[in-house]
Each structure stands twice: as structure tokens, then as C-alpha cells.
Amino acid sequence: MEDQAALARDDHGQIIFDVLAQACPSRETMEHITSRWGILALIALSEGTYRFNALRRRVSGVSEKMLAQTLQALERDGMVHREAQVTIPPKVEYSLTPLGREAARHLYGLIEWLEGEMPSVMDARAAHDRSRAGA
Amino acid sequence: MEDQAALARDDHGQIIFDVLAQACPSRETMEHITSRWGILALIALSEGTYRFNALRRRVSGVSEKMLAQTLQALERDGMVHREAQVTIPPKVEYSLTPLGREAARHLYGLIEWLEGEMPSVMDARAAHDRSRAGA
DNA sequence: GTTAGTACTAACTTTGAGAAAGTGCCAACC
DNA sequence: GGTTGGCACTTTCTCAAAGTTAGTACTAAC
């Protein structure tokens, strides 16, 4: 309640979302989708539906705990859909919602660009380290 | 799809960059630009040149330590340009490189989209919390 | 009957984020 | 003329996350 009072609002009482503002709820969601594992989970799920452990293998390096935590946050934010069959052994399928697909599309653009520019980044790093070592 | 200890390379010996691969150097850079303060620093700097403390005020909530750390990583990756005058008091100006401007452009697209979709996110959260409370 | 797989959670350890204070110097204020 | 504040950081310390390991309750395959 106090948090809401702190949020910036327009003439019609609607919240003005601004990631540069400390109290804005968009910061939290931004962190969910741009966190280390958030990005990778969204990108992997943009390839299609995955079961929990299949997704874990696709996103190489993620621990079970972090993947579960990440997926729960993304599910709550309406980015990821979770469908569980309470059979034995359990079967849980994860997929993107329309919102999640949009997020993944933006992230994919960033990733494609970065992967293409990585040689420039590596060059910049080498140059930086050289000038540091010389000084 | 197995974990790769070494970097993947193509027929010409060039590195194939892939964020989904654990050992890929692109993951590190990705984390620099999509980290909590990395995103916000890039977005703020896309507005123009800032001095250290002015940038710190613009990116509300960031500590001096984290801003310095973030800027150093982005400078090494060739995203941010640092120009220091060794006067007293010191004057250090930060700005984006062409690479950084491209990164900021991608991030800006994501932010604009997210800020616009935040009402949907808030709704999804409320619905999620309701169904949890009921169960 | 041992091993592996399913989708997790709980307990524990390690890492890194964030807060606070230090640095060395100057300008303005009372 | 002593205090406060600003500049651009760095250092130290603390605590909350991240990451690791083990456990669950059961089945299917070897």
C-alpha cells in the first residue's frame, strides 16, 4: 500500500512505469527476464515446449534449484506456462505464453547481435588489457 | 548438446558464439550488459555523456562501488568510453561507444516493450497469487 | 536388485552485492 | 578558520543471494 503511494502516476491515476526509478515494479520483472538464467530459459523455450530436465540440459550449466526458481518467477510474471501431469513419474511441460514469446523475441534480437559482435568485444578486451599491462 | 569444455569452432577455425553453451565468452559479456546495473547504465548513457556522480544520481539506487564495477566491465568490453581529466577535483566523463549505442538500442526496445506490458504482468501476478492462496 | 530417471525441495557452503567509511584535495559557508 | 560538501573512486565488512549436494517417492530398464 505504501509502495503504491510511492509509484509515479499520471493524471488518470495510472502508474507510469520507469525502470530508471528505484521503486518501479518493472525493475523486478526486468531482472526476472534479463537474469543470467531468465534470458537463457526464455530463449530455449522459444524453440518449443520442454520438460524440466530437458530444459536443464538445454540451458547448459544451470542448477536444478536455479532453474526451478527462475521458472517460478517467470510463471508468476505471465511469461511461462507450466503444465503438470501428476502421474508417476511426474511430467511437467514448460512453454512460453504470448507475453513470454514477445520477451524472447526482444532478447533474441539482442543475443543475435551480441554473438555477431563478439569478435569486436574480444578485440576491445585485448586492447584494454594491453594498455593496462603497459601502464 | 553435451557440455563443451572447449569453444566450438567452424571449418575456418573461428569461434562459434552461442550463449546457450556454458563455456562461451558471450555469456560473460551478456551478463555485463544485462546485469541489473549494466542495463540501466547503458540506457542512461544513451541519453548523453554523464560524469560519474551525475550518472549515479540518474541510475537511482546504484551504489558507488557497483557503478564503478559495472562501468569498468562495460569499458573493457568496448561498450563505454571513459575520459578522465586528472585535475583537482577530478572530472571523468562517460559516454557510449558505437558498440554500446547498439547495445543500448536493443535494450531500449526491450524496456519500452516491458514498460508497456507491465499492466499485463501485474494482472498475471495477481491471478497467480490468487490461485495459490485458494489452493 | 542395482542403476538411472522424473521434478522437485531442504540444508549447507561459497560467492558476490550492497552499505559504510576512507582518500586527498578544493570551494563555499558561517 | 573550522565545518560541510563535492569530486571519483577504493577498501572493508556484512549478509543475502547463488550454487552445491543430498534427499524424496516412485518406476522402468538392465
Side-chain angles (χ1 to χ4, degrees), chain B residues 9 54 60 117 127:
Chain B
R9 287 173 189 275
S60 86
E117 293 291 343

Side-chain angles (χ1 to χ4, degrees), chain A residues 18-70:
Chain A
D18 175 17
V19 275
L20 282 169
Q22 196 169 2
C24 187
S26 64
R27 273 207 184 169
E28 202 189 332
T29 303
M30 197 67 182
E31 275 166 44
H32 293 158
I33 70 185
T34 62
S35 68
R36 182 169 189 183
W37 306 120
I39 299 177
L40 300 180
L42 286 167
I43 289 301
L45 286 174
S46 72
E47 297 170 353
T49 297
Y50 276 95
R51 290 180 63 176
F52 184 84
N53 279 302
L55 186 58
R56 181 163 130 73
R57 285 185 291 266
R58 183 74 183 103
V59 180
S60 88
V62 71
S63 68
E64 301 187 357
K65 178 190 149 190
M66 287 314 294
L67 184 58
Q69 208 171 95
T70 300

Side-chain angles (χ1 to χ4, degrees), chain B:
Chain B
M1 222 182 274
E2 66 279 4
D3 287 353
Q4 295 156 333
L7 295 179
R9 287 173 189 275
D10 68 12
D11 301 339
H12 308 289
Q14 294 201 298
I15 301 171
I16 301 168
F17 294 103
D18 175 18
V19 276
L20 283 169
Q22 195 168 3
C24 188
S26 63
R27 272 207 185 170
E28 203 188 331
T29 303
M30 197 67 183
E31 275 167 45
H32 293 158
I33 69 185
T34 62
S35 68
R36 181 170 189 183
W37 305 120
I39 299 176
L40 300 180
L42 286 167
I43 289 301
L45 286 174
S46 72
E47 297 169 352
T49 297
Y50 276 96
R51 291 181 63 176
F52 184 84
N53 278 301
L55 186 57
R56 183 168 180 254
R57 283 185 293 266
R58 182 73 184 106
V59 180
S60 86
V62 71
S63 68
E64 300 187 357
K65 179 192 148 190
M66 288 313 295
L67 184 57
Q69 209 173 93
T70 300
L71 288 171
Q72 280 158 14
L74 291 175
E75 192 198 352
R76 192 168 101 96
D77 286 346
M79 303 278 164
V80 162
H81 175 68
R82 178 179 185 275
E83 198 154 359
Q85 290 171 31
V86 275
T87 55
I88 285 170
K91 182 175 184 177
V92 182
E93 293 194 317
Y94 290 94
S95 56
L96 294 184
T97 62
L99 205 60
R101 239 171 281 134
E102 279 292 295
R105 203 172 51 76
H106 283 282
L107 292 171
Y108 195 74
L110 179 66
I111 286 174
E112 284 276 284
W113 168 80
L114 211 215
E115 288 178 353
E117 293 291 343
M118 275 309 291
S120 309
V121 172
M122 306 281 272
D123 287 350
R125 274 193 211 169
H128 183 85
D129 293 350
R130 258 198 312 279
S131 70
R132 281 264 159 148

